[in-house]
Amino acid sequence: MEKVNDIAGVTQLVRDARANGRSIALVPTMGFLHPGHGSLIARARAEAGYVVVSIFVNPAQFGPSEDYRDYPRDLDRDTRLAADAGADLIFSPSPEEMYPRGYDTFVEVPDLSAVLCGASRPGHFRGVATVVLKLLNIVRPDVAFFGQKDAQQLLVIRRLVADLNVPGRIVAAPTVREPDGLAMSSRNAYLDPEQRRAAPAIYRALQAGEAAIGEGERDPEAVVAVMRGVLAGEPLLRPDYVAAVDAATLRRPPLLSGRVLLAVAARLGRAKLIDNLALDVAPDIVRRITL
Ligand code: AMP
């Protein structure tokens, strides 16, 4: 496995791999890798000849009062994990390499970015869309992998790629969880032992929402009330949003049917955790899907 920090270096290595007949996969990450990232890298390894993992804590997607400076970083550990999962190249640019002096271009996907995480993080998805478009332009992958854990991000990127005719496929991978259901996240490192014990209530709330729909509930507000009830049992958790929405528009439909996203964001100490379940809701059967 190789490591480069500069755009010219990654461009050259990708060009060489392509010249050798290898297809190119990209797995964008912010580092502090865990098995969730590992599953994306392994999937990329299975589908492409040359796997690029980018590691970049993107300042453009953090608000002024958010955790950009505190975000956990460990490039040596990430290097081992990425190599074990099957990466061929780690691209870990500096902020200056990605946003040199005079940088002035941003892309926005305003409708999908206005709700859920976007409502409390103005500018977040503008930063995400911009950095992902830059990474796609730098690497020009045949296929890029994203986790459903960040479902809104996935939708924003799919919209961006379709609207701007960006070549390459976008593939979503299911959320990897701890044994107690907590979605793996680099930000779980912020949790103290008591908070860590409280955290799986987020997944339990999603499961309760899923069960209510399975029992026939189709009113989104009633499903949200069920999920809020579970979260209320864990006083350490402070919900930011609890939603039962159409999985394409992220808006609340009058009744739940078709592709539905149950989504929760909650603060736990200084961590803000998010999780979701995507469901296909038919009249008499409800099943989990990957978006
Ligand atoms: P991040 O480093 O948190 O920006 O995540 C990089 C990529 O890994 C994104 O596409 C995430 O959706 C994905 N990811 C993060 N956590 C998980 C998880 N628990 N399971 C699957 N994918 C994940």
Side-chain angles (χ1 to χ4, degrees), residues 107-208:
V107 278
E108 285 189 69
V109 186
D111 204 51
L112 283 172
S113 301
V115 294
L116 303 183
C117 286
S120 61
R121 303 186 74 186
H124 170 67
F125 288 110
R126 176 185 193 252
V128 169
T130 300
V131 81
V132 171
L133 182 58
K134 283 174 68 69
L135 290 167
L136 292 171
N137 280 332
I138 292 165
V139 176
R140 297 172 188 254
D142 299 282
V143 56
F145 292 84
F146 294 87
Q148 169 159 320
K149 157 88 173 20
D150 300 279
Q152 187 173 13
Q153 166 174 292
L154 171 68
L155 262 58
V156 165
I157 290 160
R158 285 231 172 97
R159 184 81 258 159
L160 159 83
V161 162
D163 289 354
L164 296 184
N165 311 98
V166 180
R169 282 186 302 130
I170 301 297
V171 173
T175 302
V176 176
R177 300 179 180 285
E178 302 285 358
D180 60 10
L182 176 64
M184 289 190 179
S185 165
S186 308
R187 288 191 169 98
N188 292 350
Y190 295 147
L191 303 176
D192 69 24
E194 203 187 350
Q195 292 162 347
R196 175 63 189 81
R197 270 193 294 281
I202 295 174
Y203 183 57
R204 287 203 304 277
L206 292 166
Q207 287 176 303

Side-chain angles (χ1 to χ4, degrees), residues 38 91 238:
F91 173 48
R238 285 167 294 135

Side-chain angles (χ1 to χ4, degrees), residues 31-252:
F32 212 68
L33 301 182
H34 53 66
H37 299 112
S39 76
L40 299 187
I41 299 169
R43 182 89 188 267
R45 173 77 285 154
E47 289 197 27
Y50 191 76
V51 176
V52 182
V53 176
S54 62
I55 295 183
F56 181 57
V57 184
N58 172 34
Q61 70 189 68
F62 287 80
S65 61
E66 293 183 359
D67 57 345
Y68 174 67
R69 277 181 199 292
D70 295 344
Y71 196 85
R73 294 162 169 89
D74 188 341
L75 194 55
D76 290 339
R77 186 169 150 271
D78 288 349
T79 303
R80 289 194 296 276
L81 256 152
D84 287 349
D88 294 299
L89 174 63
I90 287 189
F91 173 48
S92 56
S94 64
E96 296 72 30
E97 181 73 1
M98 292 296 273
Y99 302 109
R101 184 184 291 275
Y103 189 90
D104 198 23
T105 304
F106 294 86
V107 278
E108 285 189 69
V109 186
D111 204 51
L112 283 172
S113 301
V115 294
L116 303 183
C117 286
S120 61
R121 303 186 74 186
H124 170 67
F125 288 110
R126 176 185 193 252
V128 169
T130 300
V131 81
V132 171
L133 182 58
K134 283 174 68 69
L135 290 167
L136 292 171
N137 280 332
I138 292 165
V139 176
R140 297 172 188 254
D142 299 282
V143 56
F145 292 84
F146 294 87
Q148 169 159 320
K149 157 88 173 20
D150 300 279
Q152 187 173 13
Q153 166 174 292
L154 171 68
L155 262 58
V156 165
I157 290 160
R158 285 231 172 97
R159 184 81 258 159
L160 159 83
V161 162
D163 289 354
L164 296 184
N165 311 98
V166 180
R169 282 186 302 130
I170 301 297
V171 173
T175 302
V176 176
R177 300 179 180 285
E178 302 285 358
D180 60 10
L182 176 64
M184 289 190 179
S185 165
S186 308
R187 288 191 169 98
N188 292 350
Y190 295 147
L191 303 176
D192 69 24
E194 203 187 350
Q195 292 162 347
R196 175 63 189 81
R197 270 193 294 281
I202 295 174
Y203 183 57
R204 287 203 304 277
L206 292 166
Q207 287 176 303
E210 176 187 39
I213 299 172
E215 286 156 19
E217 185 58 74
R218 293 294 182 270
D219 174 5
E221 290 190 32
V223 173
V224 166
V226 167
M227 294 194 286
R228 281 195 181 278
V230 175
L231 294 171
E234 205 44 87
L236 287 182
L237 277 173
R238 285 167 294 135
D240 175 13
Y241 62 76
V242 182
V245 292
D246 180 294
T249 63
L250 302 181
R251 283 350 193 242
R252 180 182 292 193

